[in-house]
Amino acid sequence: AITQEAIMDQILVHVVLAGNAGKTWEMILPELQAANLSPASLDAIAANINSPPPLATLIEQIDGDFAIPLLAQCEKIAQLDRVITSAEAQIIEAIANKLGAGNN
C-alpha cells in the first residue's frame, strides 16, 4: 500500500503541473493545502515537482484498487481553480482508462 501511495503522489505531481503552468511551488502549495492533502503527499509532490517520473509508467504501476481514490484526488486538484485544462483532463482520462481495463 505504501508503494501505491507513492505512485499516487507522483501522479498527482503531473496533475498539479498540468493545471499550474508557470506557477512556482510557493504559489501552488496553499491551494494544495486547502485541498486537505496529507503532509506526506505534499512532501512527495514537492520532491518530484521539478522532475516527475514518466506518467505512462506510473499509471501502468497503479493498482485498480487505488485508481478510484486516485481519480477522485486528481479531479479534486484539477478543480481547485475551477478550470480543468486539457492536460489535466488527459491525465484523468488515462486513469479512468486504467480503471476500465481492470487490474492489469
Side-chain angles (χ1 to χ4, degrees):
I2 291 174
T3 303
Q4 287 294 303
E5 287 176 16
I7 294 168
M8 289 171 65
D9 289 339
Q10 290 175 349
I11 291 172
L12 292 179
V13 171
H14 286 274
V15 175
V16 169
L17 290 172
N20 294 284
K23 288 187 181 177
T24 64
W25 175 244
E26 290 74 24
M27 295 164 75
I28 298 168
L29 182 58
E31 293 177 12
L32 295 179
Q33 288 170 327
N36 294 323
L37 294 180
S38 72
S41 289
L42 292 173
D43 289 346
I45 292 168
N48 290 283
I49 199 89
N50 292 318
S51 58
L55 181 62
T57 305
L58 294 170
I59 288 178
E60 278 177 27
Q61 295 173 354
I62 202 78
D63 255 6
D65 292 345
F66 289 86
I68 293 171
L70 172 62
L71 193 58
Q73 195 119 31
C74 288
E75 288 177 341
K76 183 167 142 185
I77 289 172
Q79 294 195 17
L80 283 175
D81 59 2
R82 293 181 173 63
V83 176
I84 296 182
T85 66
S86 62
E88 287 170 325
Q90 287 174 353
I91 296 168
I92 290 168
E93 185 179 333
I95 297 163
N97 289 341
K98 173 70 176 181
L99 267 173
N103 294 341
N104 299 357

